[in-house]
Amino acid sequence: MLYKAVDSVALWMHRMSGLLLISMMAIVVVDVATRALFDVSDGHWDLTFLGGIELVSFGLLLCILFSLPHCVDKGQVVVDLFTQNMSKATERLVNGLYTLAFAALWLAMSWRFYHAYTAALETMETSQDLLLPLSDIYLLVVAATFILGLRSLLVGIRGLTTRKTPSGQPTSPKTEHNQTAEGEHR
């Protein structure tokens, strides 16, 4: 149940990442168009707005952090030179341990961003152009990095505990035990 809940949150975040990407592109297009209009009219039509760069930079940060949790189990960069002579079991072990290390990294980053969030909350720090409260942005980053760390942890555990059956279908040790028990009862 926990796996499904975290997986659906990660999918939702992935979709939000797509919306953020579209929003960033729209902000850039509008910003460039208004600056071009300002330049063509020799400054008579000033429709430019402050904070476009800031919106895009915060959007990019959240876009990346929101897309990563969904992509954790889609594959990691693997150097075949090191894994080509490994058995499948050893390769699964290495991938699982790597994903667990990835989880530790992101959970530590979540903890660090939580401290940045509390500091920004105490000092009422704001962004430079739009005067957005940085505590709100750090809170989103804390949530995104925590979900990324949690999903990496669950994917790493799933990778270490999943075995392949002769048919090629993955099973967990619990499922394998239940299948053996059912076979004995027949």
Side-chain angles (χ1 to χ4, degrees), residues 114-134:
Y114 175 75
H115 287 293
Y117 160 73
T118 57
L121 196 60
E122 289 173 5
T123 61
M124 307 282 273
E125 190 176 359
T126 60
S127 62
Q128 187 174 4
D129 293 336
L130 297 174
L131 303 177
L132 299 171
L134 287 181

Side-chain angles (χ1 to χ4, degrees), residues 130-172:
L130 297 174
L131 303 177
L132 299 171
L134 287 181
S135 59
D136 294 348
I137 294 165
Y138 285 143
L139 187 60
L140 286 171
V141 171
V142 167
T145 55
F146 178 76
I147 293 296
L148 177 56
L150 181 62
R151 183 136 197 280
S152 298
L153 179 69
L154 294 175
V155 166
I157 290 170
R158 189 184 304 160
L160 290 174
T161 59
T162 301
R163 293 183 178 89
K164 297 283 184 180
T165 63
S167 66
Q169 297 296 324
T171 62
S172 66

Side-chain angles (χ1 to χ4, degrees), residues 70-78 95 98-99 155:
H70 182 67
C71 301
V72 167
D73 62 343
K74 304 298 183 258
Q76 305 293 334
V77 175
V78 177
N95 285 338
Y98 173 79
T99 307
V155 166

Side-chain angles (χ1 to χ4, degrees), residues 31-52:
D31 193 29
V32 168
T34 56
R35 288 174 191 262
L37 188 61
F38 179 77
D39 191 40
V40 167
S41 68
D42 290 328
H44 289 53
W45 293 333
D46 188 9
L47 301 174
T48 59
F49 60 96
L50 291 177

Side-chain angles (χ1 to χ4, degrees), residues 77-117:
V77 175
V78 177
V79 179
D80 289 337
L81 179 65
F82 298 116
T83 60
Q84 68 184 353
N85 292 329
M86 290 183 185
S87 68
K88 292 295 179 189
T90 305
E91 192 174 333
R92 271 195 317 273
L93 176 69
V94 168
N95 285 338
L97 291 174
Y98 173 79
T99 307
L100 289 178
F102 194 66
L105 170 73
W106 284 106
L107 289 172
M109 287 184 74
S110 181
W111 180 254
R112 178 60 191 106
F113 277 117
Y114 175 75
H115 287 293
Y117 160 73

